[in-house]
Amino acid sequence: MTRRTTWANRMGTVVAALFLEACRGVQSALAPQGIDAERVAGLFWVMTIGAALILILVMFVTALALFGPESWRRWLSRDGIIVAGGIVFPVTTLTALLGYGFVLTSIGDSRPGGESIKIAVVGERWWWRVIYRDSAGRRIESANELRIPVGRPVEIELTSADVIHSFWAPKLAGKLDMIPGRKNVLTLMAKEAGVSRGQCAEYCGGAHALMAFYVVALPQPEFERWLAHEAEPASAPPTPQALAGMTLFAASGCGACHAIRGTPAAGAIGPDLTHVGGRLSLAAATLPNDEAAFARWIKDNQHIKPGNLMPPYGIFSDSELAAVSNYLASLR
Amino acid sequence: MDADRSPAKLPSETPRPAGEREELQRIWARPSGWRMFTAVNNTDIGLFYMGAAFLFFLLAGVLALLMRTQLARGDNSFIGQNLYNQIFTVHGTTMMFLFAVPAIEALGVILLPQMLAARDLPFPRLSAFAIWAYVIGGLVFFLTIFVDLAPNGGWFMYPPLTLTEFSPGDNADFWLLGIGFIEISAIAGAIEIVVGTLRTRPPGMSLDKMPLFAWAMLIFAAMIVFAFPAVIFGTLLLEIERSFGWPFFTAAKGGDALLWQHLFWFFGHPEVYIIFLPAAALVSMIVPTMARTPLVGYRLNVVALIATGFFSFGLWVHHMFSTGIPALSLGFFSAVSMTIAIPSGIQVFSWIATIAAGRDRFKITTPSLFVFGFLFIFVIGGLTGVMVAVAPFDFQVHDTYFVVAHFHYVLVGGMVFPLFATYYYWAPMVSRNMLSEKRGRWVFWLMFIGFNTAFFPMHITGLMGMPRRVWTYPSGMGWDALNMISTVGAFILAAGVLLFVIDLFLRLRPGEQGPENPWGAGTLEWLATDVYSTRSIPHVASREPLWDQPNLAADVEAGAYYLPNAPTGGRETIVTSPIEGDPQYVIRMIGPGWAHFFAAAFTAAFFLLLTIKLVTPALLCGVLAILSCFVWVWELDRGPGKGPVDIGGGFRLPTYVTGPTSHAWWAMVVLMLVAGSLYITYVFSYLYLWTVNPQVWPPTGSPPPPSVEWAAFSAALLIASVVAFVTADRLLPAPQSMNPWAPALMLIGAACLVGAVVVEIDAHWQTGLRATESSYAAMVYMESVLTGELAFTVAIMTAYGLARYFTGKMDCVRRVTFESTALLTYYTAAQGLFGLLLVNGFPRIIG
């Protein structure tokens, strides 16, 4: 094994540990890991407590109107109570809230952390095409997973290849739509290393429910090493079985839709598979990433994600399927 | 003070002559057997309307239970992806378009004439037409779920998902044509309600004495007039893009997917208040009765209703916060969205003040329980509404289960609970029995507990990251337990509704009135009624006449007030002035008939056959629908033959009026407002697409507009059509004589109008402009579509007018038919002229 793959394996273990730890609430806006999500969570608690107090107040006044002593009820029945409760009170509280909201909207623009990095994400039915650029400006394509450095602003350029999608990683920031013909930019920043999950939040037809992704926030140095690794072409098949899988992959026309850099496969319709084995999930966070899942997906993907563009490959024998799966899983 | 204005002596002498009541009964008799379908009495068709709306509520509720079952646990496979997507689309669409709006219109049809002591609404067959069109269209729409043809693009049908490329098949067309046409039926109802509340109030009921429900229905109808055209226009664009490829929403050709969202939500947000305002006003009528005291802050309440209606048009963008709109817009729409909390606050505190004002303790009945349930749920919905109005928070919860929880709190709390209060409260008006108070409490508690158990956890589910409209989710996200609780709650809620249905079977006996005024209310709908509504039409001097005039009920029943008889020998009611409620004339109305029923059936058939692309049968049905309309309206515009009649109190009123006093003129004006709103949304769309994609506008992206002479020619034809109709108006012959110039000029006018549109289309065609090539071209031709459709209507009305002329039914006195045609001609010409200016002038200005 080369030094590079050892490193990739160790890295995989770290990420898996983070993943397990974060599994509950992995998509919760109330367990923020980014500064934007954290501000909104704070806003949520302020507003919820305020709303609860108002609800209690209104219910208390209603109870007084119903069962209170005569003098209280007389006092409550004046026109003035409508002006006070229906006009003065909401105007005051809402003005304060609006101000708070404005402040929150505007501090998004002035964030610390130095120069931002840019990642392009394209919404497709029903997966995410992710495009990084390294410092040399090289285009590095991946899919269904974002890796970002901690403590640096990340500008995510959002576009769509077909219908409207919405990019939402709740633990990091709010959502922003991906609209055909438009380009939206979402800026977010992770506060700590960790794995979180995101999901398409605009109904995009068919398998909308199965269009999710993972975001892995890594310390800056590790992010850079990961990106450098990601930029490299696919590793050679490490075992004879994987080699057989590679041959089958090429012979079965998989390369018409999928690209594996460093091999003749250069398709652009489906996800780039150059380092697919190193991702946390398959099929846009629908399946775990292991050989069994690859096999299931190749054979049975129309049941797992009905309507997706990939045809089910029933042509493979069990051993062939195992070989292709083994090859793909080896692409770390 | 107000009471001073009621007449010292009662308007009609008592005792009334024998046989008078029997004559009224005969005139207003409800048809039986098969002829039931011909009925037009507001209480009959209104109840039928409500029954249909409630059926759709139950059906959509069953769909909700199916969805809740599927979502009860993660990785469930009870319902597959394809069916689930259809189910949630049909659930939302049915609840909004086939239940909520029709249920409110049904309440208007049932309650308004009773609250206003009118014998019926001014256009009885129009309501019946709207109802049948809705029932037939709605049922067919719903049945598509059983044959895998139901739309699956979500109830807001966002393109490009709903374009042919991503939604082949007829599923989306069922939404666009099926629902688009039901929206038209809602507009018919709205015209009826505007004219009804403004013109058929009882003598003395000035606007400031009108029951709050009537105020709310007036605002409701006005909001429909301004809001529904936006979605009708949107569906028109989307259907045209799907069928003919005009690229309104396709970015590659200069369209924009967000245009649909603007149009949809410009309708969709007011829609929420369209549903909520009348329901809130029902609460404003129930609370005073239970507190035995007039509503505290009546005027503030009216202001609140109007303010809500007004503001609701200014906050549609809050449904689009996450589309990436500029921060300034975010701030503006965020602020307006919060403003809406103020009128709601006014209403809430006005109910609380009224409850406190009662001398005795507030009566706790089933209706009042539902009112309290509404208050609790709606306040929570309002508070979460303020939360989602704050843009950064909305970025997180938009399109999640938090929003699902929020709008169910607003809509179920704000509309369904008041509706159930209404069912219990007003049941004795339409049924021999009241509903069971004992079972009613069970119904309430099951529904209240079930609702909160189902929907409160969804706030948390959404914050924990669960998006809406997902047919499944992985276990282990922390969502399983919450979803299971929601599912259990949904079934408890359903048990409450089921118990209510059982109670309906056991207790509801429609056909005659139950106990008279069982709650001791103060408004006119609690007068004794028969098929003809009240025995005589009272003079109203206050907001709660039954409380302030203790003898009123007995005097009205004895026939001591206005119109205790049928002086023209047919159906009639009093038309009063819009502000003060002074008697103006007696409107002669038509009774049961088949024509409007067939008109509705053929209209529905036209749209539905078009949906499944059976064009020839569809066109045949369209022609039959127009012919049925001719038969239907042939009996209208009856002329002054019956002369003025005595209605009591010294009022001798005409039975035929024309011009701005007539109810037909008012209806025409409201219809023109609808057309005007539709046109404004067109102008907005034209300018919007230009701002988004100026590169497809001339001079760069498309052929330049045709030379000015063509536009001038078209404009000249439009002006000629106006001149022709103005002249024809002067040349209408005296009764029983002829002047062939009048029909000839009408024909020339209609021909000029149609010609103007043809010239405009041809001029653009000659420049090589093709509608499928760019959004600019599509918008240019769309102008002609809108004006052409009106010109076509004028042509049909002219043909009808000619038939009236040659049968001696149109002259310088009997001229309502002519006036309606002329008004529409003037409007169409004005719209056409504006369109020429926009389509031919704007590219030149920017070029």
Side-chain angles (χ1 to χ4, degrees):
Chain A
M1 251 185 218
T2 62
R3 199 169 56 84
R4 202 182 72 211
T5 38
T6 323
W7 175 81
N9 280 343
R10 204 175 60 230
M11 177 88 179
T13 324
V14 173
V15 168
L18 286 171
F19 177 63
L20 285 177
E21 174 210 290
C23 206
R24 260 190 100 74
V26 70
Q27 199 165 314
S28 171
L30 297 182
Q33 289 177 347
I35 54 167
D36 305 81
E38 192 175 59
R39 281 178 192 145
V40 175
L43 174 70
F44 162 77
W45 286 111
V46 170
M47 291 197 297
T48 303
I49 293 165
L53 290 176
I54 293 171
L55 177 68
I56 291 168
L57 180 78
V58 172
M59 291 305 127
F60 177 70
V61 177
T62 311
L64 267 188
L66 273 172
F67 310 114
E70 203 51 43
S71 54
W72 287 64
R73 293 182 63 215
R74 248 199 321 281
W75 185 81
L76 274 177
S77 67
R78 297 171 315 154
D79 269 8
I81 200 79
I82 305 176
V83 176
I87 301 176
V88 179
F89 178 69
V91 169
T92 328
T93 37
L94 292 177
T95 309
L97 183 58
L98 196 62
Y100 184 27
F102 277 148
V103 172
L104 277 187
T105 320
S106 52
I107 43 178
D109 308 332
S110 58
R111 66 184 73 230
E115 202 203 340
S116 58
I117 73 153
K118 292 185 171 60
I119 304 173
V121 179
V122 186
E124 314 236 1
R125 299 213 306 170
W126 294 272
W127 60 283
W128 314 83
R129 189 188 297 274
V130 181
I131 301 154
Y132 302 86
R133 303 235 170 229
D134 66 7
S135 46
R138 263 185 310 169
R139 185 176 186 280
I140 307 162
E141 186 167 324
S142 175
N144 298 329
E145 191 167 298
L146 249 76
R147 300 216 174 189
I148 57 172
V150 172
R152 255 181 88 185
V154 181
E155 277 181 35
I156 306 175
E157 192 186 287
L158 302 169
T159 52
S160 166
D162 37 49
V163 304
I164 302 177
H165 303 276
S166 192
F167 179 92
W168 185 38
K171 285 169 90 84
L172 294 168
K175 62 186 65 66
L176 193 56
D177 292 354
M178 315 165 102
I179 301 167
R182 289 173 179 252
K183 189 201 289 178
N184 278 330
V185 178
L186 177 72
T187 308
L188 50 78
M189 190 164 104
K191 281 190 62 174
E192 55 197 78
V195 177
S196 70
R197 192 175 186 269
Q199 194 165 353
C200 177
E202 182 63 79
Y203 176 66
C204 50
H208 162 65
L210 303 172
M211 182 173 168
F213 59 95
Y214 283 102
V215 185
V216 184
L218 297 168
Q220 177 75 25
E222 284 183 50
F223 171 75
E224 273 160 23
R225 278 158 61 188
W226 172 81
L227 189 62
H229 171 74
E230 191 73 10
E232 287 173 28
S235 49
T239 61
Q241 194 193 16
L243 186 62
M246 182 178 173
T247 316
L248 276 167
F249 186 90
S252 313
C254 304
C257 294
H258 295 284
I260 299 178
R261 277 176 275 128
T263 77
I269 295 171
D272 185 302
L273 302 178
T274 309
H275 298 289
V276 64
R279 294 177 202 150
L280 287 174
S281 73
L282 293 185
T286 303
L287 296 175
N289 189 348
D290 53 35
E291 286 183 37
F294 272 112
R296 265 187 72 200
W297 176 260
I298 292 166
K299 214 173 86 183
D300 213 17
N301 66 71
Q302 286 301 330
H303 285 112
I304 298 166
K305 191 184 279 196
N308 85 84
L309 282 181
M310 179 162 157
Y313 275 77
I315 52 164
F316 292 129
S317 69
D318 285 353
S319 64
E320 287 171 334
L321 195 58
V324 176
S325 307
N326 179 270
Y327 167 60
L328 291 172
S330 78
L331 296 173
R332 293 182 154 260
Chain B
M1 172 192 75
D2 282 335
D4 293 345
R5 284 174 46 195
S6 73
K9 188 165 126 343
L10 294 176
S12 296
E13 278 176 30
T14 46
R16 301 299 305 163
E20 210 174 65
R21 181 190 295 272
E22 288 69 25
E23 194 196 4
L24 279 174
Q25 275 167 340
R26 183 182 53 75
I27 289 171
W28 290 90
R30 59 169 63 93
S32 55
W34 275 108
R35 294 187 54 79
M36 203 173 69
F37 293 104
T38 65
V40 294
N41 285 17
N42 75 295
T43 40
D44 299 341
I45 56 165
L47 204 59
F48 180 69
Y49 203 174
M50 179 52 85
F54 191 70
L55 175 70
F56 284 120
F57 171 72
L58 296 178
L59 290 173
V62 170
L63 296 185
L65 291 180
L66 291 174
M67 287 192 285
R68 278 318 323 165
T69 310
Q70 162 66 18
L71 294 178
R73 54 191 179 84
D75 301 316
N76 199 359
S77 55
F78 172 63
I79 301 176
Q81 171 178 303
N82 180 41
L83 184 59
Y84 188 92
N85 290 345
Q86 294 187 24
I87 286 182
F88 81 69
T89 303
V90 174
H91 167 78
T93 308
T94 303
M95 283 295 192
M96 295 304 267
F97 293 106
L98 301 183
F99 160 62
V101 174
I104 299 285
E105 288 208 340
L107 281 180
V109 171
I110 301 176
L111 291 176
L112 275 180
Q114 316 300 99
M115 285 185 183
L116 305 178
R119 295 225 185 275
D120 206 330
L121 285 164
F123 307 99
R125 285 190 183 176
L126 183 65
S127 338
F129 167 82
I131 291 165
W132 286 114
Y134 146 76
V135 169
I136 299 167
L139 282 175
V140 174
F141 172 81
F142 195 89
L143 293 177
T144 57
I145 193 95
F146 296 107
V147 289
D148 197 27
L149 266 179
N152 53 9
W155 91 276
F156 33 87
M157 293 286 289
Y158 281 180
L161 178 61
T162 47
L163 293 178
T164 325
E165 185 184 355
F166 303 106
S167 300
D170 292 340
N171 305 50
D173 302 303
F174 269 104
W175 195 98
L176 293 168
L177 289 169
I179 296 303
F181 132 80
I182 285 162
E183 286 150 9
I184 294 170
S185 125
I187 285 186
I191 293 175
E192 173 89 295
I193 286 165
V194 170
V195 183
T197 47
L198 287 177
R199 302 302 304 281
T200 61
R201 298 199 303 273
M205 186 189 276
S206 51
L207 276 183
D208 65 340
K209 296 193 194 73
M210 193 158 76
L212 267 177
F213 178 68
W215 265 110
M217 287 309 286
L218 179 59
I219 296 160
F220 159 92
M223 288 173 73
I224 286 187
V225 165
F226 293 111
F228 273 51
V231 73
I232 291 177
F233 184 66
T235 48
L236 196 60
L237 296 187
L238 189 46
E239 187 56 47
I240 288 177
E241 175 151 8
R242 281 180 62 85
S243 299
F244 307 112
W246 297 17
F248 299 108
F249 305 111
T250 303
K253 289 183 173 180
D256 186 21
L258 288 190
L259 172 63
W260 169 267
Q261 298 192 15
H262 281 291
L263 293 175
F264 187 87
W265 291 115
F266 186 79
F267 141 82
H269 202 84
E271 162 88 346
V272 174
Y273 297 97
I274 282 173
I275 295 167
F276 166 66
L277 287 185
L282 291 166
V283 171
S284 296
M285 307 226 16
I286 296 173
V287 166
T289 301
M290 297 302 166
R292 320 210 138 287
T293 185
L295 187 74
V296 179
Y298 170 91
R299 279 163 204 275
L300 271 173
N301 247 285
V302 172
V303 173
L305 291 175
I306 295 172
T308 310
F310 183 78
F311 287 136
S312 72
F313 283 95
L315 38 75
W316 77 96
V317 172
H318 76 206
H319 295 267
M320 302 166 62
F321 277 169
S322 65
T323 56
I325 54 170
L328 190 67
S329 309
L330 283 182
F332 174 78
F333 285 101
S334 186
V336 184
S337 305
M338 288 183 182
T339 316
I340 209 92
I342 296 167
S344 302
I346 291 177
Q347 287 177 294
V348 167
F349 279 92
S350 141
W351 297 321
I352 293 176
T354 309
I355 291 170
R359 243 167 303 146
D360 305 316
R361 296 284 173 182
F362 193 78
K363 282 209 292 193
I364 305 293
T365 57
T366 302
S368 25
L369 283 178
F370 274 103
V371 165
F372 290 123
F374 148 76
L375 201 62
F376 178 80
I377 294 170
F378 180 72
V379 169
I380 293 181
L383 290 167
T384 53
V386 170
M387 291 166 77
V388 292
V390 180
F393 185 67
D394 187 65
F395 295 154
Q396 279 289 19
V397 296
H398 176 73
D399 270 338
T400 70
Y401 264 86
F402 186 92
V403 166
V404 175
H406 157 69
F407 71 72
H408 280 92
Y409 266 80
V410 171
L411 292 172
V412 179
M415 191 266 175
V416 177
F417 274 70
L419 190 68
F420 273 77
T422 302
Y423 288 157
Y424 280 93
Y425 182 80
W426 275 286
M429 240 186 60
V430 293
S431 151
R432 194 169 67 226
N433 298 329
M434 298 181 65
L435 297 176
S436 160
E437 275 288 302
K438 200 170 117 210
R439 268 188 297 273
R441 292 181 193 232
W442 277 94
V443 172
F444 168 75
W445 285 111
L446 284 170
M447 284 181 68
F448 183 76
I449 292 168
F451 174 84
N452 285 292
T453 313
F455 290 97
F456 194 83
M458 288 185 192
H459 292 111
I460 305 162
T461 323
L463 285 162
M464 303 257 304
M466 182 160 164
R468 65 194 282 207
R469 301 169 152 196
V470 290
W471 68 277
T472 186
Y473 57 91
S475 281
M477 304 281 291
W479 305 340
D480 302 63
L482 290 163
N483 272 297
M484 183 55 88
I485 295 170
S486 289
T487 301
V488 170
F491 278 91
I492 299 175
L493 174 59
V497 176
L498 181 67
L499 186 60
F500 175 77
V501 174
I502 292 171
D503 196 32
L504 280 187
F505 275 106
L506 292 175
R507 304 284 302 175
L508 192 75
R509 294 291 175 268
E512 48 190 302
Q513 203 181 15
E516 199 183 309
N517 204 356
W519 313 104
T523 37
L524 297 179
E525 75 272 24
W526 297 105
L527 290 170
T529 57
D530 201 327
V531 286
Y532 47 75
S533 198
T534 53
R535 178 73 178 80
S536 57
I537 296 177
H539 187 102
V540 172
S542 68
R543 282 178 205 140
E544 286 86 13
L546 295 192
W547 286 348
D548 301 330
Q549 294 159 261
N551 248 342
L552 187 74
D555 290 337
V556 164
E557 184 57 14
Y561 279 93
Y562 301 108
L563 206 66
N565 48 5
T568 67
R571 298 183 171 215
E572 60 211 357
T573 195
I574 303 174
V575 174
T576 50
S577 65
I579 312 275
E580 289 300 326
D582 298 325
Q584 286 184 324
Y585 68 101
V586 170
I587 166 178
R588 296 172 61 202
M589 295 183 292
I590 47 175
W594 282 106
H596 64 270
F597 175 79
F598 284 117
F602 286 125
T603 311
F606 169 73
F607 280 100
L608 294 166
L609 290 169
L610 214 53
T611 309
I612 50 174
K613 316 281 188 287
L614 293 175
V615 179
T616 316
L619 290 177
L620 188 70
C621 287
V623 172
L624 287 172
I626 292 173
L627 289 177
S628 306
C629 286
F630 281 179
V631 176
W632 154 14
V633 293
W634 192 257
E635 291 173 54
L636 296 172
D637 189 10
R638 295 172 161 189
K642 293 282 180 183
V645 294
D646 202 339
I647 62 158
F651 286 106
R652 203 170 161 69
L653 300 182
T655 53
Y656 184 76
V657 296
T658 60
T661 323
S662 100
H663 59 289
W665 191 89
W666 279 64
M668 208 59 213
V669 168
V670 179
L671 185 65
M672 278 155 37
L673 287 175
V674 173
S677 327
L678 191 73
Y679 199 71
I680 289 169
T681 52
Y682 162 74
V683 175
F684 166 82
S685 307
Y686 178 97
L687 296 174
Y688 177 83
L689 285 183
W690 169 70
T691 57
V692 175
N693 275 311
Q695 66 274 15
V696 297
W697 253 249
T700 47
S702 301
S707 65
V708 182
E709 294 86 73
W710 286 108
F713 182 33
S714 181
L717 285 172
L718 291 172
I719 292 167
S721 73
V722 173
V723 172
F725 267 88
V726 170
T727 319
D729 192 347
R730 287 161 186 236
L731 296 177
L732 281 175
Q736 268 96 47
S737 60
M738 287 283 189
N739 182 353
W741 277 109
L745 281 165
M746 282 177 77
L747 207 55
I748 291 170
C752 286
L753 215 48
V754 174
V757 178
V758 172
V759 167
E760 168 72 356
I761 293 173
D762 186 56
H764 287 285
W765 186 263
Q766 299 300 340
T767 65
L769 191 71
R770 295 296 175 267
T772 50
E773 273 162 22
S774 70
S775 65
Y776 162 75
M779 272 298 166
V780 164
Y781 287 110
M782 202 58 211
E783 203 287 329
S784 295
V785 169
L786 289 184
T787 307
E789 149 232 18
L790 288 177
F792 176 71
T793 312
V794 167
I796 292 203
M797 287 170 78
T798 301
Y800 174 76
L802 296 188
R804 301 280 294 184
Y805 172 84
F806 288 111
T807 49
K809 290 180 189 301
M810 189 166 85
D811 51 49
C812 69
V813 181
R814 192 174 177 181
R815 45 180 282 139
V816 167
T817 303
F818 176 84
E819 279 173 359
S820 302
T821 315
L823 273 178
L824 193 63
T825 306
Y826 303 152
Y827 170 80
T828 308
Q831 177 183 306
L833 287 171
F834 185 88
L836 288 174
L837 215 56
L838 178 76
V839 166
N840 294 285
F842 187 74
R844 291 191 163 86
I845 298 173
I846 54 165

